[in-house]
Coordinates of all heavy atoms in Angstrom, one line a residue:
M1 N 21.6 162.9 -93.5 CA 22.4 163.1 -92.2 C 21.7 162.4 -91.1 O 20.5 162.5 -90.9 CB 22.4 164.6 -92.0 CG 23.2 164.9 -90.8 SD 23.3 166.7 -90.6 CE 23.7 166.9 -88.9
K2 N 22.4 161.7 -90.3 CA 21.9 161.0 -89.1 C 21.5 162.1 -88.0 O 22.1 163.1 -87.9 CB 22.9 160.1 -88.5 CG 23.3 158.9 -89.4 CD 24.3 158.1 -88.7 CE 24.7 156.9 -89.6 NZ 25.7 156.0 -88.9
S3 N 20.4 161.7 -87.3 CA 20.0 162.6 -86.2 C 19.6 161.7 -85.0 O 19.2 160.6 -85.2 CB 18.9 163.5 -86.6 OG 17.8 162.8 -87.0
I4 N 19.7 162.3 -83.9 CA 19.3 161.6 -82.6 C 17.8 161.5 -82.6 O 17.1 162.3 -83.2 CB 20.0 162.2 -81.4 CG1 19.5 163.7 -81.3 CG2 21.5 162.1 -81.4 CD1 20.0 164.3 -80.0
P5 N 17.2 160.5 -81.8 CA 15.8 160.4 -81.7 C 15.2 161.7 -81.1 O 15.8 162.3 -80.3 CB 15.6 159.2 -80.9 CG 16.9 158.7 -80.4 CD 18.0 159.5 -81.1
R6 N 14.0 161.9 -81.4 CA 13.3 163.1 -80.9 C 12.7 162.8 -79.5 O 12.3 163.8 -78.8 CB 12.2 163.5 -81.8 CG 12.7 164.0 -83.2 CD 11.7 164.2 -84.2 NE 10.9 165.3 -84.2 CZ 11.2 166.5 -84.6 NH1 12.4 166.7 -85.2 NH2 10.3 167.5 -84.5
S7 N 12.6 161.5 -79.1 CA 12.1 161.2 -77.8 C 12.6 159.8 -77.4 O 12.9 159.0 -78.3 CB 10.6 161.3 -77.7 OG 10.0 160.3 -78.4
I8 N 12.6 159.5 -76.1 CA 12.9 158.2 -75.6 C 11.9 157.9 -74.5 O 11.4 158.8 -73.9 CB 14.4 158.0 -75.1 CG1 14.7 159.0 -73.9 CG2 15.4 158.2 -76.3 CD1 16.0 158.7 -73.2
R9 N 11.7 156.6 -74.2 CA 10.9 156.2 -73.1 C 11.6 155.3 -72.2 O 12.3 154.3 -72.6 CB 9.6 155.5 -73.7 CG 8.6 155.3 -72.6 CD 7.4 154.7 -73.1 NE 7.8 153.5 -73.8 CZ 7.0 152.6 -74.4 NH1 5.7 152.8 -74.3 NH2 7.4 151.5 -74.9
I10 N 11.6 155.7 -70.9 CA 12.2 154.8 -69.9 C 11.0 154.5 -68.9 O 10.4 155.4 -68.3 CB 13.3 155.6 -69.1 CG1 14.4 156.1 -70.1 CG2 13.8 154.7 -68.0 CD1 15.2 155.0 -70.7
G11 N 10.7 153.2 -68.8 CA 9.5 152.9 -68.0 C 8.3 153.5 -68.7 O 8.1 153.5 -69.9
A12 N 7.4 154.1 -67.9 CA 6.2 154.8 -68.4 C 6.5 156.2 -68.8 O 5.6 156.9 -69.3 CB 5.1 154.7 -67.4
K13 N 7.7 156.8 -68.6 CA 7.9 158.2 -68.8 C 8.6 158.4 -70.2 O 9.6 157.8 -70.5 CB 8.8 158.8 -67.7 CG 8.1 158.8 -66.4 CD 8.9 159.4 -65.3 CE 8.2 159.4 -64.0 NZ 8.9 160.1 -63.0
R14 N 8.0 159.3 -71.0 CA 8.6 159.7 -72.2 C 9.3 161.0 -72.0 O 8.8 161.9 -71.5 CB 7.6 159.8 -73.3 CG 8.2 160.2 -74.7 CD 7.2 160.0 -75.8 NE 6.7 158.7 -76.0 CZ 7.5 157.7 -76.6 NH1 8.7 158.0 -77.1 NH2 6.9 156.5 -76.7
F15 N 10.6 161.1 -72.5 CA 11.4 162.3 -72.5 C 11.6 162.8 -73.9 O 12.0 162.0 -74.8 CB 12.8 162.0 -71.9 CG 12.7 161.9 -70.4 CD1 12.2 160.8 -69.7 CD2 13.3 162.9 -69.6 CE1 12.2 160.6 -68.4 CE2 13.3 162.8 -68.2 CZ 12.7 161.7 -67.6
T16 N 11.3 164.1 -74.1 CA 11.6 164.6 -75.4 C 13.1 164.9 -75.5 O 13.8 165.1 -74.4 CB 10.9 166.0 -75.7 OG1 11.2 166.9 -74.7 CG2 9.4 165.8 -75.7
V17 N 13.7 164.8 -76.6 CA 15.1 165.0 -76.8 C 15.3 166.1 -77.8 O 14.7 166.1 -78.9 CB 15.8 163.7 -77.4 CG1 17.3 163.9 -77.6 CG2 15.6 162.5 -76.4
R18 N 16.1 167.1 -77.5 CA 16.4 168.2 -78.4 C 17.8 168.6 -78.3 O 18.6 168.2 -77.4 CB 15.5 169.4 -78.0 CG 15.9 170.0 -76.7 CD 15.0 171.1 -76.3 NE 15.5 171.7 -75.1 CZ 15.6 173.0 -74.8 NH1 15.1 173.9 -75.7 NH2 16.0 173.5 -73.7
T19 N 18.3 169.3 -79.3 CA 19.6 169.9 -79.3 C 19.5 171.4 -79.1 O 18.6 172.0 -79.5 CB 20.4 169.6 -80.6 OG1 19.7 170.1 -81.7 CG2 20.6 168.1 -80.8
A20 N 20.5 171.9 -78.4 CA 20.6 173.3 -78.1 C 22.0 173.6 -77.7 O 22.7 172.7 -77.2 CB 19.6 173.7 -77.1
P21 N 22.4 174.9 -77.8 CA 23.7 175.3 -77.3 C 23.8 175.1 -75.7 O 22.9 175.7 -75.1 CB 23.9 176.7 -77.7 CG 22.9 177.0 -78.8 CD 21.8 176.0 -78.5
L22 N 24.7 174.3 -75.2 CA 24.8 174.1 -73.8 C 26.2 174.4 -73.2 O 26.3 175.0 -72.2 CB 24.5 172.7 -73.4 CG 23.0 172.2 -73.3 CD1 23.0 170.7 -73.0 CD2 22.3 172.9 -72.3
S23 N 27.2 173.9 -73.9 CA 28.5 173.9 -73.3 C 29.0 175.2 -72.9 O 29.6 175.3 -71.8 CB 29.5 173.2 -74.3 OG 29.2 171.9 -74.5
A24 N 28.8 176.2 -73.7 CA 29.3 177.6 -73.3 C 28.7 178.1 -72.0 O 29.3 178.8 -71.3 CB 29.0 178.5 -74.5
H25 N 27.4 177.7 -71.8 CA 26.7 178.2 -70.6 C 26.9 177.3 -69.4 O 26.9 177.8 -68.3 CB 25.2 178.3 -70.9 CG 24.9 179.2 -72.1 ND1 25.2 180.5 -72.1 CD2 24.5 178.9 -73.3 CE1 24.8 181.0 -73.3 NE2 24.4 180.0 -74.1
T26 N 26.9 176.0 -69.6 CA 26.9 175.0 -68.5 C 28.2 174.3 -68.3 O 28.4 173.7 -67.2 CB 25.8 174.0 -68.6 OG1 26.1 173.2 -69.8 CG2 24.4 174.7 -68.8
G27 N 29.0 174.1 -69.4 CA 30.2 173.3 -69.3 C 29.9 171.8 -69.5 O 30.8 171.0 -69.5
F28 N 28.6 171.5 -69.8 CA 28.2 170.1 -70.0 C 27.7 169.9 -71.5 O 27.3 170.8 -72.1 CB 27.0 169.7 -69.1 CG 27.4 169.8 -67.6 CD1 26.9 170.8 -66.8 CD2 28.3 168.9 -67.1 CE1 27.2 170.9 -65.5 CE2 28.6 168.9 -65.7 CZ 28.1 169.9 -64.9
D29 N 27.8 168.7 -71.9 CA 27.3 168.3 -73.3 C 25.9 167.9 -73.3 O 25.3 167.8 -74.3 CB 28.2 167.2 -73.9 CG 29.6 167.7 -74.2 OD1 29.8 168.9 -74.4 OD2 30.5 166.9 -74.3
G30 N 25.3 167.6 -72.1 CA 24.0 167.1 -72.0 C 23.4 167.5 -70.7 O 24.1 167.8 -69.7
R31 N 22.0 167.6 -70.7 CA 21.3 168.0 -69.5 C 20.0 167.3 -69.5 O 19.3 167.3 -70.5 CB 21.1 169.5 -69.4 CG 20.4 170.0 -68.2 CD 20.3 171.5 -68.2 NE 19.7 172.0 -67.0 CZ 18.4 172.1 -66.9 NH1 17.6 171.7 -67.8 NH2 17.8 172.5 -65.7
T32 N 19.5 166.8 -68.3 CA 18.2 166.2 -68.2 C 17.4 167.1 -67.3 O 17.8 167.3 -66.1 CB 18.3 164.8 -67.7 OG1 19.1 164.0 -68.6 CG2 16.9 164.1 -67.5
D33 N 16.2 167.4 -67.7 CA 15.2 168.2 -67.0 C 14.1 167.2 -66.6 O 13.3 166.8 -67.4 CB 14.7 169.3 -67.8 CG 13.6 170.1 -67.1 OD1 13.0 169.6 -66.1 OD2 13.4 171.3 -67.5
Y34 N 14.1 166.7 -65.4 CA 13.1 165.7 -64.9 C 11.7 166.3 -64.8 O 10.8 165.5 -65.0 CB 13.6 165.1 -63.6 CG 14.8 164.3 -63.7 CD1 16.1 164.8 -63.5 CD2 14.8 162.9 -64.2 CE1 17.2 164.1 -63.6 CE2 15.9 162.2 -64.3 CZ 17.1 162.8 -64.1 OH 18.3 162.0 -64.2
V35 N 11.6 167.5 -64.4 CA 10.3 168.1 -64.3 C 9.5 168.2 -65.6 O 8.4 167.8 -65.7 CB 10.4 169.6 -63.7 CG1 9.0 170.3 -63.6 CG2 11.0 169.5 -62.3
H36 N 10.2 168.7 -66.7 CA 9.6 168.8 -68.0 C 9.9 167.6 -68.9 O 9.5 167.6 -70.0 CB 10.1 170.1 -68.7 CG 9.7 171.3 -67.9 ND1 10.6 172.0 -67.1 CD2 8.5 171.9 -67.9 CE1 10.0 173.0 -66.6 NE2 8.7 173.0 -67.0
R37 N 10.6 166.6 -68.3 CA 10.9 165.4 -69.1 C 11.5 165.7 -70.4 O 11.1 165.3 -71.5 CB 9.6 164.5 -69.3 CG 9.1 163.9 -68.0 CD 8.0 163.0 -68.2 NE 7.4 162.6 -67.0 CZ 6.2 162.0 -66.9 NH1 5.5 161.7 -67.9 NH2 5.8 161.7 -65.7
R38 N 12.6 166.4 -70.3 CA 13.4 166.8 -71.5 C 14.8 166.6 -71.4 O 15.4 166.9 -70.3 CB 13.1 168.3 -71.8 CG 13.7 168.9 -73.0 CD 13.3 170.3 -73.3 NE 13.3 171.1 -72.1 CZ 12.4 172.0 -71.7 NH1 11.2 172.1 -72.4 NH2 12.5 172.7 -70.6
I39 N 15.5 166.0 -72.4 CA 16.9 165.8 -72.5 C 17.4 166.8 -73.5 O 16.9 166.8 -74.7 CB 17.3 164.4 -72.8 CG1 16.8 163.5 -71.7 CG2 18.8 164.3 -73.0 CD1 17.0 162.0 -72.0
T40 N 18.4 167.6 -73.2 CA 19.0 168.5 -74.1 C 20.4 168.1 -74.4 O 21.2 167.9 -73.4 CB 18.9 170.0 -73.6 OG1 17.6 170.3 -73.2 CG2 19.4 171.0 -74.6
I41 N 20.8 168.1 -75.7 CA 22.1 167.7 -76.1 C 22.8 168.9 -76.8 O 22.1 169.6 -77.6 CB 22.1 166.5 -77.1 CG1 21.2 165.3 -76.5 CG2 23.5 166.0 -77.5 CD1 21.8 164.7 -75.2
E42 N 24.1 169.1 -76.6 CA 24.8 170.2 -77.2 C 24.8 170.1 -78.7 O 25.1 169.0 -79.3 CB 26.3 170.1 -76.7 CG 27.2 171.0 -77.5 CD 26.9 172.5 -77.4 OE1 26.6 173.0 -76.3 OE2 26.9 173.2 -78.4
T43 N 24.3 171.2 -79.3 CA 24.1 171.2 -80.8 C 25.4 171.0 -81.6 O 25.4 170.4 -82.6 CB 23.5 172.6 -81.1 OG1 22.3 172.8 -80.4 CG2 23.2 172.7 -82.6
S44 N 26.5 171.6 -81.1 CA 27.7 171.6 -81.9 C 28.5 170.3 -82.0 O 29.4 170.1 -82.7 CB 28.7 172.7 -81.3 OG 29.1 172.3 -80.0
L45 N 28.0 169.3 -81.2 CA 28.7 168.0 -81.2 C 28.4 167.2 -82.5 O 27.3 167.3 -83.0 CB 28.2 167.1 -80.0 CG 28.5 167.6 -78.6 CD1 27.8 166.7 -77.6 CD2 30.0 167.7 -78.4
P46 N 29.4 166.5 -82.9 CA 29.2 165.6 -84.1 C 28.1 164.5 -83.6 O 27.9 164.2 -82.5 CB 30.5 164.9 -84.3 CG 31.5 165.7 -83.6 CD 30.8 166.4 -82.5
Y47 N 27.5 163.9 -84.6 CA 26.4 162.9 -84.4 C 26.9 161.8 -83.3 O 26.1 161.5 -82.4 CB 26.0 162.2 -85.7 CG 25.1 161.0 -85.4 CD1 23.8 161.2 -85.1 CD2 25.6 159.7 -85.6 CE1 22.9 160.1 -84.8 CE2 24.8 158.6 -85.3 CZ 23.5 158.8 -85.0 OH 22.6 157.8 -84.7
A48 N 28.0 161.2 -83.5 CA 28.5 160.2 -82.6 C 28.6 160.6 -81.2 O 28.2 159.9 -80.3 CB 29.8 159.6 -83.1
E49 N 29.0 161.8 -81.0 CA 29.1 162.4 -79.6 C 27.7 162.8 -79.1 O 27.5 162.6 -77.9 CB 30.1 163.6 -79.6 CG 31.5 163.2 -79.8 CD 32.5 164.3 -79.8 OE1 32.3 165.2 -78.9 OE2 33.4 164.4 -80.6
Q50 N 26.8 163.2 -80.0 CA 25.5 163.5 -79.5 C 24.8 162.2 -79.0 O 24.2 162.2 -78.0 CB 24.6 164.1 -80.6 CG 25.0 165.6 -80.9 CD 24.0 166.2 -81.9 OE1 23.2 165.5 -82.5 NE2 24.2 167.5 -82.1
L51 N 25.0 161.1 -79.8 CA 24.5 159.9 -79.4 C 25.0 159.3 -78.1 O 24.3 158.9 -77.2 CB 24.7 158.8 -80.6 CG 23.9 157.5 -80.4 CD1 22.4 157.7 -80.4 CD2 24.3 156.6 -81.6
A52 N 26.3 159.5 -77.9 CA 27.0 159.1 -76.7 C 26.4 159.9 -75.5 O 26.2 159.3 -74.4 CB 28.5 159.2 -76.8
T53 N 26.2 161.2 -75.7 CA 25.7 162.0 -74.7 C 24.2 161.6 -74.4 O 23.8 161.6 -73.2 CB 25.8 163.5 -75.1 OG1 27.1 163.8 -75.4 CG2 25.3 164.4 -74.0
L54 N 23.5 161.3 -75.4 CA 22.1 160.9 -75.2 C 22.1 159.6 -74.3 O 21.3 159.4 -73.4 CB 21.4 160.7 -76.5 CG 19.9 160.1 -76.4 CD1 19.1 160.9 -75.5 CD2 19.3 159.9 -77.7
I55 N 23.0 158.6 -74.6 CA 23.0 157.4 -73.9 C 23.4 157.7 -72.4 O 22.8 157.2 -71.5 CB 24.1 156.4 -74.5 CG1 23.5 155.9 -75.8 CG2 24.4 155.3 -73.6 CD1 24.5 155.2 -76.7
H56 N 24.3 158.6 -72.2 CA 24.7 159.0 -70.9 C 23.5 159.6 -70.1 O 23.3 159.2 -69.0 CB 25.9 160.1 -70.9 CG 26.3 160.5 -69.6 ND1 27.4 160.0 -69.0 CD2 25.9 161.5 -68.8 CE1 27.6 160.6 -67.8 NE2 26.6 161.5 -67.7
E57 N 22.8 160.5 -70.7 CA 21.7 161.1 -70.1 C 20.6 160.1 -69.8 O 19.9 160.1 -68.8 CB 21.1 162.3 -70.9 CG 22.1 163.5 -71.0 CD 22.5 164.0 -69.6 OE1 21.7 164.2 -68.7 OE2 23.7 164.3 -69.5
A58 N 20.4 159.1 -70.8 CA 19.4 158.1 -70.6 C 19.8 157.2 -69.4 O 18.9 156.8 -68.6 CB 19.3 157.2 -71.8
V59 N 21.1 157.0 -69.2 CA 21.4 156.2 -68.0 C 21.1 157.0 -66.7 O 20.7 156.4 -65.7 CB 23.0 155.8 -68.1 CG1 23.4 155.2 -66.7 CG2 23.2 154.8 -69.2
H60 N 21.2 158.3 -66.7 CA 20.8 159.1 -65.6 C 19.3 158.9 -65.3 O 18.9 158.7 -64.2 CB 21.1 160.6 -65.8 CG 22.4 161.0 -65.5 ND1 23.0 161.0 -64.2 CD2 23.4 161.6 -66.3 CE1 24.2 161.4 -64.2 NE2 24.5 161.8 -65.5
V61 N 18.5 158.9 -66.4 CA 17.1 158.7 -66.3 C 16.8 157.3 -65.7 O 16.0 157.1 -64.8 CB 16.4 158.9 -67.6 CG1 14.9 158.6 -67.5 CG2 16.5 160.4 -68.1
I62 N 17.5 156.3 -66.2 CA 17.3 154.9 -65.7 C 17.7 154.9 -64.2 O 17.0 154.3 -63.4 CB 18.1 153.9 -66.5 CG1 17.6 153.8 -68.0 CG2 18.2 152.6 -65.8 CD1 18.5 153.1 -68.9
N63 N 18.8 155.5 -63.9 CA 19.3 155.6 -62.5 C 18.2 156.2 -61.6 O 17.9 155.7 -60.5 CB 20.6 156.4 -62.4 CG 21.2 156.4 -61.1 OD1 21.2 155.4 -60.4 ND2 21.7 157.5 -60.7
D64 N 17.6 157.2 -62.0 CA 16.5 157.9 -61.3 C 15.3 157.0 -61.2 O 14.7 156.8 -60.2 CB 16.2 159.2 -61.9 CG 15.1 160.0 -61.2 OD1 15.4 160.4 -60.0 OD2 14.0 160.1 -61.7
R65 N 14.8 156.5 -62.3 CA 13.6 155.7 -62.4 C 13.6 154.5 -61.6 O 12.7 154.1 -60.9 CB 13.3 155.4 -63.9 CG 12.3 154.3 -64.2 CD 10.9 154.9 -63.9 NE 9.8 154.0 -64.3 CZ 9.3 153.1 -63.4 NH1 9.7 153.0 -62.2 NH2 8.3 152.3 -63.8
Y66 N 14.8 153.8 -61.6 CA 14.9 152.5 -60.9 C 15.7 152.6 -59.6 O 16.0 151.6 -59.0 CB 15.5 151.4 -61.8 CG 14.5 151.2 -63.0 CD1 14.7 151.7 -64.2 CD2 13.4 150.4 -62.8 CE1 13.9 151.5 -65.3 CE2 12.5 150.2 -63.8 CZ 12.7 150.7 -65.1 OH 11.8 150.5 -66.1
V67 N 16.0 153.8 -59.2 CA 16.6 154.1 -57.9 C 17.8 153.2 -57.7 O 17.9 152.5 -56.7 CB 15.6 154.0 -56.7 CG1 16.1 154.7 -55.5 CG2 14.2 154.6 -57.1
T68 N 18.7 153.3 -58.6 CA 19.9 152.4 -58.5 C 21.0 153.0 -57.6 O 21.9 152.3 -57.2 CB 20.5 152.0 -59.9 OG1 20.9 153.3 -60.5 CG2 19.5 151.3 -60.7
G69 N 21.0 154.3 -57.4 CA 22.0 154.9 -56.5 C 23.4 155.1 -57.2 O 24.4 155.2 -56.4
L70 N 23.5 155.1 -58.5 CA 24.8 155.3 -59.1 C 25.2 156.8 -59.0 O 24.4 157.7 -59.1 CB 24.7 155.0 -60.6 CG 24.2 153.6 -61.0 CD1 24.1 153.4 -62.5 CD2 25.2 152.5 -60.4
D71 N 26.5 156.9 -58.8 CA 27.1 158.3 -58.8 C 27.5 158.6 -60.2 O 27.4 157.8 -61.1 CB 28.2 158.4 -57.8 CG 29.5 157.6 -58.1 OD1 29.7 157.2 -59.3 OD2 30.2 157.2 -57.2
E72 N 28.0 159.9 -60.4 CA 28.3 160.3 -61.8 C 29.4 159.5 -62.4 O 29.3 159.2 -63.6 CB 28.8 161.8 -61.7 CG 29.1 162.4 -63.1 CD 27.9 162.4 -64.1 OE1 26.8 162.5 -63.6 OE2 28.2 162.3 -65.3
S73 N 30.4 159.0 -61.7 CA 31.4 158.2 -62.3 C 30.8 156.9 -62.7 O 31.2 156.4 -63.8 CB 32.5 158.0 -61.2 OG 33.5 157.1 -61.7
Q74 N 30.0 156.3 -61.9 CA 29.4 155.0 -62.3 C 28.4 155.2 -63.5 O 28.4 154.3 -64.4 CB 28.6 154.4 -61.1 CG 29.5 154.0 -60.0 CD 28.8 153.7 -58.7 OE1 27.8 154.5 -58.3 NE2 29.2 152.7 -58.0
V75 N 27.7 156.3 -63.5 CA 26.8 156.5 -64.7 C 27.7 156.6 -66.0 O 27.3 156.0 -67.0 CB 26.0 157.8 -64.5 CG1 25.4 158.3 -65.8 CG2 24.9 157.6 -63.4
A76 N 28.8 157.3 -65.9 CA 29.6 157.5 -67.1 C 30.2 156.2 -67.5 O 30.2 155.9 -68.7 CB 30.8 158.5 -66.7
R77 N 30.7 155.4 -66.6 CA 31.2 154.0 -67.0 C 30.1 153.1 -67.6 O 30.4 152.5 -68.6 CB 31.9 153.4 -65.8 CG 33.2 154.1 -65.4 CD 34.1 153.3 -64.4 NE 33.4 152.8 -63.3 CZ 33.2 153.4 -62.1 NH1 33.7 154.6 -61.9 NH2 32.6 152.8 -61.1
L78 N 29.0 153.1 -67.0 CA 27.9 152.3 -67.5 C 27.5 152.8 -68.9 O 27.3 152.0 -69.8 CB 26.7 152.3 -66.5 CG 25.5 151.4 -67.0 CD1 25.9 150.0 -67.2 CD2 24.4 151.5 -65.9
A79 N 27.3 154.1 -69.1 CA 27.0 154.7 -70.4 C 28.0 154.3 -71.4 O 27.6 154.0 -72.6 CB 26.8 156.2 -70.2
N80 N 29.3 154.3 -71.1 CA 30.3 153.9 -72.0 C 30.1 152.4 -72.4 O 30.3 152.1 -73.6 CB 31.7 154.1 -71.4 CG 32.1 155.6 -71.3 OD1 31.5 156.4 -72.0 ND2 33.1 155.9 -70.5
G81 N 29.8 151.6 -71.5 CA 29.6 150.2 -71.8 C 28.4 150.0 -72.7 O 28.4 149.2 -73.6
V82 N 27.3 150.7 -72.4 CA 26.1 150.6 -73.2 C 26.4 151.1 -74.6 O 25.9 150.5 -75.6 CB 24.9 151.3 -72.6 CG1 23.7 151.5 -73.5 CG2 24.5 150.7 -71.3
E83 N 27.1 152.2 -74.7 CA 27.5 152.7 -76.0 C 28.3 151.7 -76.9 O 28.0 151.5 -78.0 CB 28.2 154.0 -75.9 CG 28.6 154.6 -77.2 CD 29.5 155.8 -77.1 OE1 29.9 156.2 -75.9 OE2 29.9 156.4 -78.1
E84 N 29.2 151.0 -76.2 CA 30.0 150.0 -76.9 C 29.1 148.8 -77.4 O 29.3 148.4 -78.5 CB 31.1 149.5 -76.0 CG 32.2 150.5 -75.7 CD 33.2 150.0 -74.7 OE1 33.1 148.8 -74.2 OE2 34.1 150.8 -74.3
L85 N 28.2 148.4 -76.5 CA 27.3 147.3 -76.9 C 26.5 147.7 -78.1 O 26.3 147.0 -79.0 CB 26.5 146.9 -75.7 CG 25.3 145.9 -76.0 CD1 25.9 144.6 -76.5 CD2 24.5 145.7 -74.8
L86 N 25.8 148.9 -78.0 CA 25.0 149.3 -79.1 C 25.8 149.5 -80.4 O 25.2 149.2 -81.5 CB 24.3 150.6 -78.7 CG 23.3 150.5 -77.6 CD1 22.7 151.9 -77.2 CD2 22.1 149.5 -78.0
G87 N 27.0 149.9 -80.3 CA 27.9 150.1 -81.5 C 28.1 148.7 -82.1 O 28.1 148.6 -83.4
Q88 N 28.3 147.7 -81.4 CA 28.4 146.3 -81.9 C 27.1 145.8 -82.6 O 27.2 145.2 -83.6 CB 28.8 145.3 -80.8 CG 30.2 145.6 -80.3 CD 30.5 144.6 -79.1 OE1 30.1 143.5 -79.1 NE2 31.1 145.2 -78.0
L89 N 26.0 146.2 -82.0 CA 24.7 145.7 -82.6 C 24.4 146.4 -83.9 O 23.7 145.9 -84.7 CB 23.6 146.0 -81.6 CG 23.7 145.2 -80.3 CD1 22.6 145.6 -79.3 CD2 23.7 143.7 -80.5
R90 N 25.0 147.6 -84.1 CA 24.7 148.4 -85.4 C 25.6 147.8 -86.5 O 25.3 148.1 -87.6 CB 25.1 149.9 -85.1 CG 24.0 150.6 -84.4 CD 24.2 152.1 -84.5 NE 25.5 152.5 -84.0 CZ 25.8 153.0 -82.8 NH1 24.7 153.2 -82.0 NH2 26.9 153.3 -82.4
E91 N 26.7 147.1 -86.1 CA 27.6 146.7 -87.2 C 27.1 145.5 -88.0 O 26.2 144.8 -87.7 CB 29.0 146.2 -86.5 CG 29.7 147.3 -85.9 CD 30.9 146.9 -85.1 OE1 31.1 145.7 -84.9 OE2 31.6 147.7 -84.6

């Protein structure tokens, strides 16, 4: 069974990645904790959606790290494009 990575690094910062129930409590499929450097992904999502959510959260981290000033809509669109690119590279 495929699983998402246990950590990612953006610049010099490493973020741990874990799965946990989120949606019922927050309404979101992913959450980034910048203080503890942790990305949490909804457990119940299928692998492909967990990966897409991780990419989305990683774009938030990139946005924060490089101070790009993207809003949520821009983050979502950029994450979708990165996901499409990575999907092509896996083929």
